[in-house]
């Protein structure tokens, strides 16, 4: 089902996580077909993983070619070595870059270098984002105004808690670096993936509550935003 929710925003609901992966992969593949040199800002987290698996299968079957796409890292913890299992860079490599045959990447080390590299690409064509339980985008924690730059941040207790499930008992680093709200909001197209009943309240507020730095995802309204949600997240 497709609903328009105000300026620029399209909300599409699908029955379950598998249908979400299919619908998201359809949109991403259409964008890559329209522009094989697409630059994609790539979220990690649990929500997009079935989508990345679906994309990898389409690549394997020769249905789509990502070899000219540039994958841009969205966020990273601070203070980890390259071989640390919690590195978000390695998670992006495992789940997106390698299985899709992508050779062009922008890694998020230092904000200045990252912003320079993204500017040299001509900006972000497609931002693939998940929705934080506290409304964060990347690690733009509340409050993050629309002009918040790429920067280092301290994670909120909510993000530390929600990230714990990824790392099987290892502590979640408390510092991070994130692509700025300014960069995320300047993407030519944004796809926000939302799955599960635990996201229902924050998704309502994101789409229907006040647009405020206290809920960074609400600032996506007014950009070219497509929200794909399963029925658990948008009943
Ligand atoms: P999730 O994380 O996809 O694992 O729910 C989303 C986020 O925290 O941004």
């Amino acid at each position: 089902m497709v609903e328009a929710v105000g300026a620029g925003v399209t909300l599409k609901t699908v029955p379950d996580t598998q249908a979400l992966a299919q619908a998201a992969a359809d949109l991403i593949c259409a964008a890559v077909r329209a522009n094989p040199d697409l630059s994609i800002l790539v979220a990690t987290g649990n929500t997009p993983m079935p989508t990345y698996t679906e994309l990898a299968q389409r690549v394997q079957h020769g249905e789509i070619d990502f070899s000219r796409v540039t994958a841009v890292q969205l966020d990273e913890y601070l203070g980890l070595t390259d071989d640390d299992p919690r590195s978000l860079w390695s998670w992006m490599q495992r789940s997106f870059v390698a299985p899709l045959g992508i050779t062009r990447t922008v890694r998020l080390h230092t904000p200045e270098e990252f912003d320079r590299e993204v500017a040299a690409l001509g900006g972000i064509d497609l931002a693939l984002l998940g929705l934080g339980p506290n409304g964060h985008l990347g690690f733009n924690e509340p409050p993050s105004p629309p002009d918040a730059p790429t920067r280092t941040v301290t994670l909120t207790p909510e993000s530390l808690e929600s990230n714990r499930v990824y790392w099987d008992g290892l502590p979640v680093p408390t510092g991070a670096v994130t692509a700025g709200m300014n960069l995320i909001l300047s993407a030519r197209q944004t796809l926000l993936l939302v799955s599960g009943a635990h996201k229902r309240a924050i998704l309502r507020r994101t789409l229907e509550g006040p647009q405020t730095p206290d809920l960074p995802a609400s600032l996506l309204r007014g950009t070219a935003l497509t929200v794909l949600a399963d029925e658990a997240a948008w009943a």
Side-chain angles (χ1 to χ4, degrees):
M1 188 179 67
V2 179
E3 286 177 44
V5 231
V9 182
T10 303
L11 168 67
K12 184 169 187 218
T13 52
V14 293
D16 53 28
T17 51
Q18 195 43 44
L20 189 80
Q22 296 276 349
D26 286 349
L27 285 171
I28 297 161
C29 288
V32 171
R33 285 196 186 96
N35 175 10
D37 297 304
L38 207 71
S39 60
I40 309 183
L41 191 62
V42 180
T44 49
N46 284 334
T47 312
M49 292 306 137
T51 298
Y52 299 168
T53 303
E54 173 64 27
L55 288 173
Q57 281 165 4
R58 294 184 189 193
V59 168
Q60 255 173 24
H61 295 149
E63 294 167 31
I64 184 77
D65 177 9
F66 276 76
S67 61
R68 283 162 56 187
V69 162
T70 302
V72 180
Q73 186 175 14
L74 174 64
D75 50 14
E76 182 60 281
Y77 301 119
L78 293 176
L80 300 182
T81 56
D82 272 0
D83 57 357
D84 192 295
R86 294 164 295 178
S87 150
L88 298 181
W89 172 250
S90 57
W91 195 359
M92 178 175 110
Q93 295 292 322
R94 282 194 303 279
S95 63
F96 192 83
V97 172
L100 272 53
I102 289 172
T103 56
R104 301 171 194 194
T105 54
V106 174
R107 185 170 182 171
L108 180 45
H109 274 304
T110 64
E112 299 72 23
E113 195 186 333
F114 175 81
D115 282 346
R116 252 200 320 276
E117 285 185 53
V118 173
L121 277 177
I124 299 295
D125 294 312
L126 173 62
L128 288 181
L129 303 174
L131 176 62
N134 61 353
H136 73 202
L137 296 175
F139 282 131
N140 287 281
E141 300 282 42
S144 287
D147 60 355
T150 301
R151 66 203 185 285
T152 59
V153 296
T154 301
L155 296 187
T156 59
E158 272 169 304
S159 292
L160 292 173
E161 180 58 30
S162 66
N163 279 225
R164 238 161 31 91
V165 298
Y166 307 146
W167 310 122
D168 197 26
L170 290 174
V172 180
T174 55
V177 56
T178 184
M181 285 302 292
N182 58 357
L183 188 135
I184 290 174
L185 296 176
S186 72
R188 293 179 187 91
Q189 193 187 348
T190 296
L191 183 54
L192 182 68
L193 304 179
V194 193
S195 172
H198 63 299
K199 297 286 178 70
R200 191 179 292 177
I202 195 71
L203 179 56
R204 275 282 162 194
R205 285 175 54 210
T206 296
L207 295 182
E208 296 182 342
Q211 283 192 272
T212 165
D214 293 330
L215 205 171
S218 69
L219 301 174
L220 288 171
R221 282 151 53 195
T223 69
L225 172 64
T226 300
V227 180
L228 271 177
D230 62 15
E231 278 170 12
W234 190 268

